[in-house]
Amino acid sequence: MMRTIGLLALLLAGAAQAQEVPPGVMTESRQLPGLTAPGEIVIDRAGIPHIYAANARDGFFLQGYAVARDRLWQIDLWRKRGLGRLSASFGPQFVAQDRASRLLLYRGDMAAEWAAYPAQARVWTEAFAAGINAFVADVDAGRQKLPMEFTATASRPERWSADEVVSIRSNALASNAASEVLRARALCGGDVRFEPLRRQLEPARPVVIPKGLDPCSIPENMLADYLLGTSDVRFDGSRAVVASRTDPDTLEGSNNWAIAPARSATGRPILANDPHRAHAVPNLRYLSHIDTPELKIAGSGEPSLPGVSFGHNEDAAWALTIFAIDQQDLVVNPAGTTLASVADSIEVKGEAPRSVVLKFTADGPIIHEDPASGRSFALRATWSKPGASAYFNATWAFTAKNWDEFLIARNHWGAPPLNLLFASRAGDIGWAPGGFVPVRTAGDGLLPVPAGKAHGWKGLLDARLMPVVYNPAQGWFATANENNVPAGYPHLLGLEWNDRSRITRISEVIAAAGVSGPKFSLTDAMALQNDATSAMARRAVAMLQGLRGRDAAQSAALALLEDWDGHEGPDSAPAALYEVWASRHLPPAAVKAIVPEAMRRNFGRTSIGNVLPVLEDGALLGADPRAVQEGILLDSLGSAFAETTRLLGPDPATWRWGALHVADFTPALAIAGRDAERRVGPLPIGGSGSTPMAMGSSGGSSGNFHVQSGASVRLVMDVGAWDNSMAINTPGQSGDPASPHYRDLFPRWATGQYVPFVWSRSRVLQEAERIITVTP
């Protein structure tokens, strides 16, 4: 009887809503078996779905349907990669990657896994998967079109299940296995004295080689399977390379900040977030809004997961950036170690299934076996624990109304490790980092360790012992992946953090607001997310003060940078020279001058964030540190000027950073005759990996400075007055090149513009482009 009354009420409400449809808004109706009651998907002018449903279960069902409508190829590929099912759709060239992915799946008890999340989470996820499956059924029946990528690969989308969603662990952004390998390789024939030049540690400490570890026993290719299992799908036959998450070429980070009412121009908290990841078409994030009687949330998340990873409910908002807890150890097993074997079968398109063997120890999956020595290498990682599905513990935040309830979400957070910021309608703000923290019996996680109890884990740190800051006296809190662990905190969390360039700039802008001018506003938040000033560049240029060039190139370079303020706009000539210098010339010049030749073979690459502290400190520069410093700076600057001349011409007055630094995105899968319509860009763009407007490039190791990583989505929330919130998501919400929302947000994103991210029904209808009415 109650269900009948509820259905009748929603039908009547639907009739009333139909009369609200603004002129010019497109409408359509669909019947979706699996719904329990009628609902509605309102697509706004930016392609953001606003979902109205009779209950939370139906809300997640319709979210799954909406996501599949926009991103079916992307999420299907995510699932197949994570589960190790690429070969079934694309052929035998993916067997090795499938085997690697299966090594990294969660293999624990599913009852324990679901028990780690809110009681409703399984129902929500089952509904989300059912919604995706409903769209796949529509595709199979010809009611919706099959995305062109499936036709190009002669493949079909597969059906989803809830258990699969949480079992995939390889997207958890955990660290630091790759860093351990790079460090061990550097110390094979190297010297720990030079480690600060290769990778700064915070707080600073000497690198100590674990007893029983020979760094030269770590094979150069030992992460091949790990990289396969965690890498994106590559259709061009290329292979991923060994790089740590903090390697300058693969640097990914994020910014967020919370402003208290007393410092805010609105009189309410402001919460801003722009997570940085590798750019793609479509990108990793998806904006959505779910409105049901018992649950209302809006924000951004990975399209393959239910709900949102960051955003807000009716009462509170949360934001995230990576917090560098070391959640991995590589374990070296001696020859003769007993390995548990699991026989598996990989379905292969056009062939018989391939039999593979997966091997494990109590520490974790065996990711490499060295036939020459008989050693094997296991990956010990927190993601093997129940409750470590990436971003899935955001489900605890969906219903958090206040700080205490938010801390419950933090206390459950497993992966990836995050700076979690909070702001509520009540005016409270706070910082509460979350993530599983291994408690090591010995050591600091910087290098692989020999197998055995001496280097084992005692368990996980009680999350209630993690640091927190609640309503800070300064009236704001910001994070940018820097070391922000309070001095004197007694537990080891991690030692490898991003440099302070972004947080330095963010802090100085926020701290200045309200001191001699207006308080910090929503407009200020958007401007700061697009700020292209590099504190790192200012720091490097400061070291050039007082130097005199030894030749014409050095003198011209010094003159160009002399009065530069570090602003890396697309039209900046100094920025062009600086980035060529900072990425391609200064780091290798420092290594050549400081590290003995015999020790450079395995030293690897470094970055300016590691070089500058070494040059400033001088301890590694020998008997005459000033002379060595001057030689490194001038010689590298002169060669950078010469290269920039080759790249941009002989007249520095015509140089532009945007001529080198462009956003030009292409899908991973090439389709003959269709690539032009699928390409997004190019557009010149400012910023760099060291500016708040993070625009990381691979200029240090590739032939161009094209943007590789940064903030694909930016969100600024007016806490409590949610209709004022603003967002952007590049290149667009849809992965279908025929959709108007495939690349519509790209020019806005590139120029620092936003679209409304509204909340109330009345404002949603004002922004509406299409209304999809759905019935069971």
Side-chain angles (χ1 to χ4, degrees), residues 255 257 274 502 505-507 509-510 520 522-532 691-693 754:
N255 306 319
W257 54 84
D274 56 302
R502 283 183 289 116
R505 176 59 177 168
I506 290 167
S507 298
V509 170
I510 296 176
F520 197 83
L522 297 172
T523 300
D524 293 330
M526 290 183 279
L528 184 51
Q529 287 182 335
N530 292 275
D531 187 287
T691 62
M693 183 179 74
Y754 291 69

PDB file of all heavy atoms in Angstrom, residues 255 257 274 502 505-507 509-510 520 522-532 691-693 754:
ATOM      1  N   ASN A 255      44.719  20.328  -5.724  1.00  0.00           N
ATOM      2  CA  ASN A 255      44.608  21.447  -4.796  1.00  0.00           C
ATOM      3  C   ASN A 255      43.235  21.401  -4.140  1.00  0.00           C
ATOM      4  O   ASN A 255      42.247  21.042  -4.786  1.00  0.00           O
ATOM      5  CB  ASN A 255      44.719  22.799  -5.505  1.00  0.00           C
ATOM      6  CG  ASN A 255      45.966  22.941  -6.368  1.00  0.00           C
ATOM      7  OD1 ASN A 255      47.046  22.523  -5.982  1.00  0.00           O
ATOM      8  ND2 ASN A 255      45.806  23.548  -7.535  1.00  0.00           N
ATOM      9  N   TRP A 257      40.997  23.839  -0.866  1.00  0.00           N
ATOM     10  CA  TRP A 257      41.044  24.763   0.275  1.00  0.00           C
ATOM     11  C   TRP A 257      39.635  25.014   0.798  1.00  0.00           C
ATOM     12  O   TRP A 257      38.654  24.951   0.063  1.00  0.00           O
ATOM     13  CB  TRP A 257      41.737  26.076  -0.078  1.00  0.00           C
ATOM     14  CG  TRP A 257      41.199  26.792  -1.279  1.00  0.00           C
ATOM     15  CD1 TRP A 257      40.130  27.635  -1.346  1.00  0.00           C
ATOM     16  CD2 TRP A 257      41.737  26.741  -2.607  1.00  0.00           C
ATOM     17  NE1 TRP A 257      39.961  28.117  -2.624  1.00  0.00           N
ATOM     18  CE2 TRP A 257      40.942  27.580  -3.422  1.00  0.00           C
ATOM     19  CE3 TRP A 257      42.828  26.077  -3.190  1.00  0.00           C
ATOM     20  CZ2 TRP A 257      41.180  27.756  -4.784  1.00  0.00           C
ATOM     21  CZ3 TRP A 257      43.063  26.255  -4.537  1.00  0.00           C
ATOM     22  CH2 TRP A 257      42.255  27.084  -5.321  1.00  0.00           C
ATOM     23  N   ASP A 274      40.313  20.957  -7.064  1.00  0.00           N
ATOM     24  CA  ASP A 274      40.658  20.653  -8.460  1.00  0.00           C
ATOM     25  C   ASP A 274      41.694  19.540  -8.476  1.00  0.00           C
ATOM     26  O   ASP A 274      42.888  19.771  -8.458  1.00  0.00           O
ATOM     27  CB  ASP A 274      41.152  21.901  -9.217  1.00  0.00           C
ATOM     28  CG  ASP A 274      42.340  22.585  -8.564  1.00  0.00           C
ATOM     29  OD1 ASP A 274      42.223  22.984  -7.393  1.00  0.00           O
ATOM     30  OD2 ASP A 274      43.387  22.725  -9.226  1.00  0.00           O
ATOM     31  N   ARG A 502      53.118  24.842  -5.270  1.00  0.00           N
ATOM     32  CA  ARG A 502      51.699  25.184  -5.387  1.00  0.00           C
ATOM     33  C   ARG A 502      51.128  25.692  -4.069  1.00  0.00           C
ATOM     34  O   ARG A 502      50.402  26.686  -4.042  1.00  0.00           O
ATOM     35  CB  ARG A 502      50.908  23.981  -5.910  1.00  0.00           C
ATOM     36  CG  ARG A 502      51.060  23.752  -7.392  1.00  0.00           C
ATOM     37  CD  ARG A 502      50.216  22.593  -7.892  1.00  0.00           C
ATOM     38  NE  ARG A 502      50.722  21.306  -7.458  1.00  0.00           N
ATOM     39  CZ  ARG A 502      50.088  20.458  -6.646  1.00  0.00           C
ATOM     40  NH1 ARG A 502      48.886  20.767  -6.160  1.00  0.00           N
ATOM     41  NH2 ARG A 502      50.627  19.306  -6.307  1.00  0.00           N
ATOM     42  N   ARG A 505      52.106  29.383  -3.287  1.00  0.00           N
ATOM     43  CA  ARG A 505      51.334  30.389  -4.010  1.00  0.00           C
ATOM     44  C   ARG A 505      49.887  30.450  -3.505  1.00  0.00           C
ATOM     45  O   ARG A 505      49.326  31.527  -3.301  1.00  0.00           O
ATOM     46  CB  ARG A 505      51.361  30.088  -5.510  1.00  0.00           C
ATOM     47  CG  ARG A 505      50.512  31.024  -6.354  1.00  0.00           C
ATOM     48  CD  ARG A 505      50.941  32.471  -6.213  1.00  0.00           C
ATOM     49  NE  ARG A 505      50.154  33.339  -7.090  1.00  0.00           N
ATOM     50  CZ  ARG A 505      50.147  34.672  -7.029  1.00  0.00           C
ATOM     51  NH1 ARG A 505      50.900  35.291  -6.120  1.00  0.00           N
ATOM     52  NH2 ARG A 505      49.408  35.373  -7.863  1.00  0.00           N
ATOM     53  N   ILE A 506      49.275  29.282  -3.295  1.00  0.00           N
ATOM     54  CA  ILE A 506      47.902  29.235  -2.804  1.00  0.00           C
ATOM     55  C   ILE A 506      47.802  29.940  -1.454  1.00  0.00           C
ATOM     56  O   ILE A 506      46.891  30.750  -1.213  1.00  0.00           O
ATOM     57  CB  ILE A 506      47.420  27.778  -2.703  1.00  0.00           C
ATOM     58  CG1 ILE A 506      47.238  27.180  -4.100  1.00  0.00           C
ATOM     59  CG2 ILE A 506      46.117  27.675  -1.912  1.00  0.00           C
ATOM     60  CD1 ILE A 506      47.072  25.672  -4.103  1.00  0.00           C
ATOM     61  N   SER A 507      48.737  29.669  -0.583  1.00  0.00           N
ATOM     62  CA  SER A 507      48.697  30.238   0.763  1.00  0.00           C
ATOM     63  C   SER A 507      48.862  31.746   0.741  1.00  0.00           C
ATOM     64  O   SER A 507      48.178  32.471   1.474  1.00  0.00           O
ATOM     65  CB  SER A 507      49.786  29.597   1.638  1.00  0.00           C
ATOM     66  OG  SER A 507      49.566  28.209   1.771  1.00  0.00           O
ATOM     67  N   VAL A 509      48.066  33.839  -1.597  1.00  0.00           N
ATOM     68  CA  VAL A 509      46.871  34.491  -2.147  1.00  0.00           C
ATOM     69  C   VAL A 509      45.737  34.490  -1.132  1.00  0.00           C
ATOM     70  O   VAL A 509      45.083  35.517  -0.898  1.00  0.00           O
ATOM     71  CB  VAL A 509      46.432  33.788  -3.452  1.00  0.00           C
ATOM     72  CG1 VAL A 509      45.069  34.298  -3.903  1.00  0.00           C
ATOM     73  CG2 VAL A 509      47.475  34.018  -4.548  1.00  0.00           C
ATOM     74  N   ILE A 510      45.486  33.334  -0.503  1.00  0.00           N
ATOM     75  CA  ILE A 510      44.389  33.262   0.466  1.00  0.00           C
ATOM     76  C   ILE A 510      44.689  34.126   1.681  1.00  0.00           C
ATOM     77  O   ILE A 510      43.811  34.839   2.188  1.00  0.00           O
ATOM     78  CB  ILE A 510      44.137  31.805   0.889  1.00  0.00           C
ATOM     79  CG1 ILE A 510      43.668  30.974  -0.308  1.00  0.00           C
ATOM     80  CG2 ILE A 510      43.093  31.739   2.003  1.00  0.00           C
ATOM     81  CD1 ILE A 510      43.488  29.498   0.001  1.00  0.00           C
ATOM     82  N   PHE A 520      37.792  36.817   0.787  1.00  0.00           N
ATOM     83  CA  PHE A 520      37.934  35.813  -0.258  1.00  0.00           C
ATOM     84  C   PHE A 520      36.557  35.410  -0.795  1.00  0.00           C
ATOM     85  O   PHE A 520      35.660  35.037  -0.047  1.00  0.00           O
ATOM     86  CB  PHE A 520      38.649  34.584   0.305  1.00  0.00           C
ATOM     87  CG  PHE A 520      39.200  33.657  -0.733  1.00  0.00           C
ATOM     88  CD1 PHE A 520      40.432  33.894  -1.322  1.00  0.00           C
ATOM     89  CD2 PHE A 520      38.506  32.528  -1.124  1.00  0.00           C
ATOM     90  CE1 PHE A 520      40.966  33.024  -2.267  1.00  0.00           C
ATOM     91  CE2 PHE A 520      39.020  31.648  -2.065  1.00  0.00           C
ATOM     92  CZ  PHE A 520      40.254  31.905  -2.643  1.00  0.00           C
ATOM     93  N   LEU A 522      33.964  33.640  -4.161  1.00  0.00           N
ATOM     94  CA  LEU A 522      33.886  32.547  -5.126  1.00  0.00           C
ATOM     95  C   LEU A 522      34.706  32.874  -6.368  1.00  0.00           C
ATOM     96  O   LEU A 522      35.383  32.002  -6.935  1.00  0.00           O
ATOM     97  CB  LEU A 522      32.431  32.290  -5.517  1.00  0.00           C
ATOM     98  CG  LEU A 522      31.494  31.820  -4.400  1.00  0.00           C
ATOM     99  CD1 LEU A 522      30.055  31.812  -4.897  1.00  0.00           C
ATOM    100  CD2 LEU A 522      31.877  30.439  -3.903  1.00  0.00           C
ATOM    101  N   THR A 523      34.663  34.123  -6.797  1.00  0.00           N
ATOM    102  CA  THR A 523      35.457  34.550  -7.950  1.00  0.00           C
ATOM    103  C   THR A 523      36.943  34.403  -7.666  1.00  0.00           C
ATOM    104  O   THR A 523      37.718  33.973  -8.531  1.00  0.00           O
ATOM    105  CB  THR A 523      35.126  36.002  -8.317  1.00  0.00           C
ATOM    106  OG1 THR A 523      33.730  36.108  -8.631  1.00  0.00           O
ATOM    107  CG2 THR A 523      35.941  36.470  -9.505  1.00  0.00           C
ATOM    108  N   ASP A 524      37.344  34.725  -6.446  1.00  0.00           N
ATOM    109  CA  ASP A 524      38.753  34.549  -6.069  1.00  0.00           C
ATOM    110  C   ASP A 524      39.155  33.084  -6.116  1.00  0.00           C
ATOM    111  O   ASP A 524      40.267  32.746  -6.532  1.00  0.00           O
ATOM    112  CB  ASP A 524      38.989  35.092  -4.659  1.00  0.00           C
ATOM    113  CG  ASP A 524      38.843  36.595  -4.560  1.00  0.00           C
ATOM    114  OD1 ASP A 524      39.114  37.281  -5.563  1.00  0.00           O
ATOM    115  OD2 ASP A 524      38.445  37.087  -3.483  1.00  0.00           O
ATOM    116  N   ALA A 525      38.243  32.219  -5.673  1.00  0.00           N
ATOM    117  CA  ALA A 525      38.545  30.785  -5.686  1.00  0.00           C
ATOM    118  C   ALA A 525      38.753  30.288  -7.102  1.00  0.00           C
ATOM    119  O   ALA A 525      39.682  29.506  -7.377  1.00  0.00           O
ATOM    120  CB  ALA A 525      37.421  30.008  -4.997  1.00  0.00           C
ATOM    121  N   MET A 526      37.892  30.704  -8.026  1.00  0.00           N
ATOM    122  CA  MET A 526      38.053  30.298  -9.418  1.00  0.00           C
ATOM    123  C   MET A 526      39.340  30.857 -10.003  1.00  0.00           C
ATOM    124  O   MET A 526      40.060  30.159 -10.731  1.00  0.00           O
ATOM    125  CB  MET A 526      36.830  30.738 -10.228  1.00  0.00           C
ATOM    126  CG  MET A 526      35.571  29.954  -9.890  1.00  0.00           C
ATOM    127  SD  MET A 526      34.128  30.407 -10.894  1.00  0.00           S
ATOM    128  CE  MET A 526      33.575  31.880 -10.025  1.00  0.00           C
ATOM    129  N   ALA A 527      39.646  32.115  -9.672  1.00  0.00           N
ATOM    130  CA  ALA A 527      40.881  32.712 -10.179  1.00  0.00           C
ATOM    131  C   ALA A 527      42.105  31.976  -9.640  1.00  0.00           C
ATOM    132  O   ALA A 527      43.085  31.755 -10.368  1.00  0.00           O
ATOM    133  CB  ALA A 527      40.937  34.196  -9.796  1.00  0.00           C
ATOM    134  N   LEU A 528      42.059  31.557  -8.377  1.00  0.00           N
ATOM    135  CA  LEU A 528      43.207  30.866  -7.799  1.00  0.00           C
ATOM    136  C   LEU A 528      43.386  29.478  -8.405  1.00  0.00           C
ATOM    137  O   LEU A 528      44.517  29.018  -8.593  1.00  0.00           O
ATOM    138  CB  LEU A 528      43.038  30.779  -6.286  1.00  0.00           C
ATOM    139  CG  LEU A 528      44.197  30.170  -5.487  1.00  0.00           C
ATOM    140  CD1 LEU A 528      45.530  30.827  -5.840  1.00  0.00           C
ATOM    141  CD2 LEU A 528      43.921  30.283  -3.983  1.00  0.00           C
ATOM    142  N   GLN A 529      42.300  28.812  -8.729  1.00  0.00           N
ATOM    143  CA  GLN A 529      42.428  27.523  -9.410  1.00  0.00           C
ATOM    144  C   GLN A 529      43.077  27.677 -10.775  1.00  0.00           C
ATOM    145  O   GLN A 529      43.627  26.708 -11.313  1.00  0.00           O
ATOM    146  CB  GLN A 529      41.059  26.860  -9.549  1.00  0.00           C
ATOM    147  CG  GLN A 529      40.503  26.307  -8.249  1.00  0.00           C
ATOM    148  CD  GLN A 529      39.174  25.614  -8.416  1.00  0.00           C
ATOM    149  OE1 GLN A 529      38.414  25.901  -9.353  1.00  0.00           O
ATOM    150  NE2 GLN A 529      38.854  24.703  -7.510  1.00  0.00           N
ATOM    151  N   ASN A 530      43.035  28.868 -11.333  1.00  0.00           N
ATOM    152  CA  ASN A 530      43.620  29.131 -12.648  1.00  0.00           C
ATOM    153  C   ASN A 530      44.842  30.043 -12.570  1.00  0.00           C
ATOM    154  O   ASN A 530      45.266  30.610 -13.573  1.00  0.00           O
ATOM    155  CB  ASN A 530      42.565  29.748 -13.561  1.00  0.00           C
ATOM    156  CG  ASN A 530      41.466  28.774 -13.924  1.00  0.00           C
ATOM    157  OD1 ASN A 530      41.600  27.997 -14.862  1.00  0.00           O
ATOM    158  ND2 ASN A 530      40.381  28.790 -13.165  1.00  0.00           N
ATOM    159  N   ASP A 531      45.420  30.146 -11.386  1.00  0.00           N
ATOM    160  CA  ASP A 531      46.587  31.000 -11.173  1.00  0.00           C
ATOM    161  C   ASP A 531      47.817  30.360 -11.808  1.00  0.00           C
ATOM    162  O   ASP A 531      48.120  29.186 -11.560  1.00  0.00           O
ATOM    163  CB  ASP A 531      46.801  31.203  -9.674  1.00  0.00           C
ATOM    164  CG  ASP A 531      47.881  32.220  -9.373  1.00  0.00           C
ATOM    165  OD1 ASP A 531      49.076  31.903  -9.574  1.00  0.00           O
ATOM    166  OD2 ASP A 531      47.538  33.333  -8.942  1.00  0.00           O
ATOM    167  N   ALA A 532      48.524  31.132 -12.615  1.00  0.00           N
ATOM    168  CA  ALA A 532      49.665  30.598 -13.371  1.00  0.00           C
ATOM    169  C   ALA A 532      51.000  31.105 -12.858  1.00  0.00           C
ATOM    170  O   ALA A 532      51.993  31.117 -13.586  1.00  0.00           O
ATOM    171  CB  ALA A 532      49.517  30.943 -14.853  1.00  0.00           C
ATOM    172  N   THR A 691      52.488  25.441 -10.836  1.00  0.00           N
ATOM    173  CA  THR A 691      51.551  26.539 -10.593  1.00  0.00           C
ATOM    174  C   THR A 691      50.240  25.979 -10.051  1.00  0.00           C
ATOM    175  O   THR A 691      49.894  24.823 -10.314  1.00  0.00           O
ATOM    176  CB  THR A 691      51.261  27.323 -11.882  1.00  0.00           C
ATOM    177  OG1 THR A 691      50.629  26.454 -12.849  1.00  0.00           O
ATOM    178  CG2 THR A 691      52.546  27.869 -12.475  1.00  0.00           C
ATOM    179  N   PRO A 692      49.468  26.774  -9.304  1.00  0.00           N
ATOM    180  CA  PRO A 692      48.144  26.285  -8.869  1.00  0.00           C
ATOM    181  C   PRO A 692      47.303  25.786 -10.040  1.00  0.00           C
ATOM    182  O   PRO A 692      46.608  24.769  -9.911  1.00  0.00           O
ATOM    183  CB  PRO A 692      47.536  27.511  -8.191  1.00  0.00           C
ATOM    184  CG  PRO A 692      48.708  28.253  -7.645  1.00  0.00           C
ATOM    185  CD  PRO A 692      49.776  28.088  -8.695  1.00  0.00           C
ATOM    186  N   MET A 693      47.332  26.493 -11.166  1.00  0.00           N
ATOM    187  CA  MET A 693      46.708  25.984 -12.376  1.00  0.00           C
ATOM    188  C   MET A 693      47.642  24.906 -12.944  1.00  0.00           C
ATOM    189  O   MET A 693      48.418  25.147 -13.871  1.00  0.00           O
ATOM    190  CB  MET A 693      46.492  27.090 -13.407  1.00  0.00           C
ATOM    191  CG  MET A 693      45.781  26.606 -14.663  1.00  0.00           C
ATOM    192  SD  MET A 693      45.497  27.894 -15.899  1.00  0.00           S
ATOM    193  CE  MET A 693      47.142  28.118 -16.558  1.00  0.00           C
ATOM    194  N   TYR A 754      33.946  28.906 -16.086  1.00  0.00           N
ATOM    195  CA  TYR A 754      33.171  27.877 -15.392  1.00  0.00           C
ATOM    196  C   TYR A 754      31.729  27.899 -15.873  1.00  0.00           C
ATOM    197  O   TYR A 754      31.305  28.814 -16.578  1.00  0.00           O
ATOM    198  CB  TYR A 754      33.192  28.125 -13.873  1.00  0.00           C
ATOM    199  CG  TYR A 754      34.535  27.892 -13.218  1.00  0.00           C
ATOM    200  CD1 TYR A 754      35.613  28.757 -13.462  1.00  0.00           C
ATOM    201  CD2 TYR A 754      34.741  26.826 -12.357  1.00  0.00           C
ATOM    202  CE1 TYR A 754      36.844  28.553 -12.867  1.00  0.00           C
ATOM    203  CE2 TYR A 754      35.978  26.618 -11.751  1.00  0.00           C
ATOM    204  CZ  TYR A 754      37.018  27.487 -12.013  1.00  0.00           C
ATOM    205  OH  TYR A 754      38.240  27.265 -11.432  1.00  0.00           O
TER     206      TYR A 754
END
